[in-house]
Amino acid sequence: MRNKFIHKRIWDIPKYNTYGDMVKWWSKKKSLINIFVTILCILCIGYFGKFVIQAGQSIAHTIGQSTVNIVSKRLGKDMIADEYGNINVMIIGYGGANHAGWYLADSIMVASWNKKLGAVTMISVPRDFYVTNKETRVFGRINEVFSRGVGRKHEFDTGAKAMIGQLEEVIGVKIPYYALIDFEGFKKVIDTLGWIEIDVPKVIHDTTYPTENMGYMTLHVNTGVQLFSGERALMYARSRHSTSDFDRSLRQQQIMKAIVTKFMQQGLKPTKIKQLYADYTAMVKTNISLDEMIGLAQYVDNLKNIFSFWLTTDCSNVAHRYSYPWCFLYAPDSVNFWWASVILPVWSDKANPSNYQYINNFAFYVMHNQEYLIENPQITIWNWIDKQYAQQQKVKTDGHANQVAVKLKKYAFNIPVTKNAPSPYLQTELYILGTGNYDNTINMLKSLVAIDNVVPFSERSPEEPFIWPEEIYQEQLSWTELLLILGNKYVDRAKWKRFDYYK
């Protein structure tokens, strides 16, 4: 059954505004197609619409003004947006013919585009994610939901709708649209562009790269700048046995940026647009109409930010330097799942595998409150908790700054440094050292950490009741925009409420 959460914008989320109420809150890819889908189904949809319009205007000089009138009428068709103004699209990549498991989802992603902010947030779900889907009778990996839905009759719309229903539960957003893409189309579009340029940061030597005849071959990629064809780019993106899944995700981001760069360099002449659009429509099965695609053209030039997240187990709750903003999964003992290697959400088990609460809330923040991701200030955390006081309260004496940093990094905050300070401090305070606007970041921080006071550096005065610690002046903090100091009152909260990395 789908979880029901009532979400609001960051400004309306309960905050730890004062010490008295700080314990009251909380009552209420991994695969290759990530790159290509994002470009074609989010960016290029708009680009194609824009170029179709431009082409129509050019042709109109030859065949008459009616062409422009037809295109102009279609321009006004808006896509369905959610209550926050975001357009949400499910994007599935699958092997297709000549690949094992034709319709098993190889890449599973939900992309959310805020037209007003010019921001796209993508969340990828691993194909080993365990689900119980009664509609398709899948009690196993999520990539089977799409395959079962498509079935022997090749009913792609049925498969897409089954997968959308499942992802709406997992991610917690309404998804009206889908785009389905196979491997051959991915290669064809890059080849139509000619090639893409990739700066390979790490040698790849994969001796078990799968071939079309169900065998294996050796893939070797050296470091340095290289030109990739569609086939080579596909292999670079798919290789998984010589590096970690996190490395694989980084490679996919490289390809995404390379495709965008190539688009911009070529300028896309009408002849090239025609071929790309033919490739696109041949390989993409979607319920997004041409009218809606063209209607997006007016917003594409405003697209300034792309945020990518992969739900994964590849993280750490110990050291903040090894934690990432998508750590909401874990790998259970396979003996409980018929010896299959699967992945579950945190605080889920075989008896209750559908605890999507934390994933829902993470998705809500990064999809519907993208302002704090855009601000992205560097935050330093100092632990100024008196050790003697911590001992008296029977809580641990150190590690608090690192613990808070891990938690904040799970929600995509930029935390490069934590530090233990020598002198104790009473309150938990946030000092604004930078000169930017951090309102959305501060409100987000208040929803996750008990902050007693926010002290703006630029507005301080002799009459101000807050005393700036001398260490702030002594430290070289020119690169830090926000400084979070944990005081003794943070310990009080830890005493009364168990710390949770996920809320």
Side-chain angles (χ1 to χ4, degrees):
M1 182 177 179
R2 183 178 178 184
N3 290 326
K4 300 293 184 181
F5 295 97
I6 300 177
H7 287 307
K8 302 179 181 179
R9 297 287 290 165
I10 283 179
W11 295 100
D12 300 319
I13 294 174
K15 314 293 192 308
Y16 292 124
N17 285 322
T18 65
Y19 170 58
D21 65 16
M22 63 186 174
V23 297
K24 297 179 183 177
W25 191 69
W26 200 258
S27 60
K28 309 194 186 177
K29 225 125 183 37
K30 284 256 176 135
S31 193
L32 83 112
I33 305 298
N34 290 344
I35 307 102
F36 179 60
V37 163
T38 303
I39 300 307
L40 285 190
C41 294
I42 301 299
L43 306 181
C44 288
I45 281 174
Y47 273 111
F48 283 137
K50 179 171 66 176
F51 291 127
V52 167
I53 294 168
Q54 292 175 348
Q57 292 171 337
S58 176
I59 295 171
H61 294 293
T62 304
I63 65 175
Q65 187 62 32
S66 61
T67 304
V68 175
N69 293 335
I70 293 173
V71 174
S72 298
K73 289 179 181 179
R74 290 185 172 183
L75 180 62
K77 183 65 180 287
D78 290 330
M79 294 182 70
I80 300 171
D82 63 23
E83 60 184 303
Y84 303 101
N86 286 34
I87 296 171
N88 303 320
V89 183
M90 177 194 74
I91 304 158
I92 298 295
Y94 62 98
N98 301 320
H99 292 273
W102 285 16
Y103 301 133
L104 288 175
D106 187 75
S107 175
I108 305 165
M109 180 173 65
V110 176
S112 186
W113 184 1
N114 187 304
K115 297 182 294 184
K116 182 178 179 180
L117 292 175
V120 173
T121 296
M122 302 173 290
I123 297 181
S124 293
V125 179
R127 58 186 183 177
D128 293 340
F129 191 88
Y130 182 85
V131 297
T132 56
N133 189 289
K134 295 181 180 179
E135 180 183 352
T136 57
R137 298 182 181 180
V138 170
F139 299 89
R141 297 186 179 97
I142 193 172
N143 67 335
E144 297 178 29
V145 174
F146 175 68
S147 179
R148 293 276 187 91
V150 173
R152 296 179 180 178
K153 295 183 180 180
H154 310 289
E155 297 173 334
F156 286 94
D157 185 67
T158 302
K161 289 178 178 177
M163 196 65 159
I164 282 177
Q166 185 65 65
L167 287 174
E168 285 183 337
E169 289 190 39
V170 175
I171 304 298
V173 299
K174 191 68 177 176
I175 308 171
Y177 297 106
Y178 66 81
L180 316 174
I181 305 173
D182 66 17
F183 289 171
E184 293 305 313
F186 170 81
K187 294 189 294 184
K188 189 179 295 184
V189 166
I190 293 179
D191 288 337
T192 301
L193 287 171
W195 44 264
I196 58 173
E197 183 178 288
I198 296 292
D199 188 359
V200 181
K202 183 187 298 185
V203 172
I204 296 176
H205 189 77
D206 184 355
T207 59
T208 57
Y209 185 85
T211 61
E212 293 183 357
N213 60 0
M214 312 302 176
Y216 296 98
M217 63 172 287
T218 297
L219 169 66
H220 184 87
V221 182
N222 290 317
T223 59
V225 177
Q226 300 183 41
L227 303 182
F228 282 2
S229 64
E231 179 70 31
R232 191 68 168 172
L234 176 66
M235 297 171 71
Y236 180 70
R238 290 191 68 200
S239 178
R240 61 192 310 127
H241 293 292
S242 61
T243 56
S244 71
D245 280 339
F246 184 63
D247 290 331
R248 192 167 179 243
S249 297
L250 292 177
R251 296 200 302 272
Q252 294 163 6
Q253 292 183 45
Q254 280 188 295
I255 294 177
M256 180 177 68
K257 294 176 182 178
I259 292 176
V260 172
T261 300
K262 190 66 175 179
F263 270 123
M264 301 306 291
Q265 288 176 345
Q266 289 197 354
L268 293 183
K269 298 177 181 179
T271 54
K272 185 71 69 173
I273 296 168
K274 182 179 178 179
Q275 184 60 52
L276 283 170
Y277 190 77
D279 292 344
Y280 173 76
T281 54
M283 72 170 186
V284 178
K285 296 175 176 62
T286 181
N287 63 343
I288 303 173
S289 70
L290 177 60
D291 293 353
E292 289 170 321
M293 290 182 185
I294 295 175
L296 289 179
Q298 58 190 308
Y299 303 105
V300 171
D301 288 337
N302 188 43
L303 183 54
K304 302 174 182 178
N305 299 280
I306 301 175
F307 305 106
S308 301
F309 302 103
W310 293 264
L311 297 177
T312 183
T313 63
D314 187 13
C315 57
S316 170
N317 281 345
V318 179
H320 84 278
R321 293 181 181 276
Y322 300 100
S323 186
Y324 304 105
W326 41 75
C327 309
F328 292 86
L329 308 179
Y330 81 101
D333 191 339
S334 61
V335 69
N336 297 320
F337 295 87
W338 309 281
W339 300 103
S341 296
V342 298
I343 297 173
L344 286 177
V346 292
W347 304 117
S348 294
D349 53 29
K350 185 178 181 180
N352 178 28
S354 305
N355 183 8
Y356 303 137
Q357 173 181 343
Y358 298 119
I359 298 175
N360 279 192
N361 282 279
F362 168 75
F364 164 70
Y365 283 127
V366 298
M367 286 183 167
H368 291 141
N369 293 280
Q370 295 154 309
E371 293 93 338
Y372 86 95
L373 299 175
I374 295 171
E375 291 174 357
N376 192 34
Q378 292 198 52
I379 305 171
T380 296
I381 302 179
W382 284 357
N383 179 6
W384 278 24
I385 299 170
D386 180 41
K387 291 186 177 182
Q388 185 176 357
Y389 182 79
Q391 290 174 347
Q392 292 173 354
Q393 301 303 314
K394 297 182 180 180
V395 300
K396 64 180 184 177
T397 59
D398 53 18
H400 295 287
N402 184 80
Q403 191 177 53
V404 171
V406 169
K407 177 176 180 175
L408 294 180
K409 289 190 72 173
K410 290 183 188 297
Y411 288 90
F413 284 94
N414 184 2
I415 317 287
V417 175
T418 64
K419 177 182 177 181
N420 288 319
S423 57
Y425 208 64
L426 175 61
Q427 296 180 322
T428 295
E429 297 190 343
L430 182 67
Y431 291 83
I432 303 176
L433 306 185
T435 58
N437 183 351
Y438 314 111
D439 289 346
N440 295 284
T441 301
I442 292 170
N443 276 275
M444 179 66 167
L445 282 169
K446 285 183 177 181
S447 71
L448 297 171
V449 181
I451 297 174
D452 297 294
N453 297 307
V454 177
V455 187
F457 182 83
S458 59
E459 299 176 5
R460 71 191 189 284
S461 67
E463 293 79 22
E464 188 175 78
F466 309 121
I467 301 174
W468 283 75
E470 185 63 28
E471 286 82 356
I472 291 180
Y473 298 102
Q474 295 174 354
E475 290 284 340
Q476 299 295 320
L477 294 173
S478 59
W479 53 270
T480 297
E481 294 167 272
L482 297 177
L483 173 62
L484 177 60
I485 296 179
L486 304 179
N488 286 352
K489 288 189 176 181
Y490 177 83
V491 169
D492 295 338
R493 175 180 177 270
K495 176 183 177 181
W496 292 106
K497 186 174 183 179
R498 180 180 178 272
F499 183 87
D500 193 324
Y501 285 101
Y502 305 99
K503 67 178 182 180

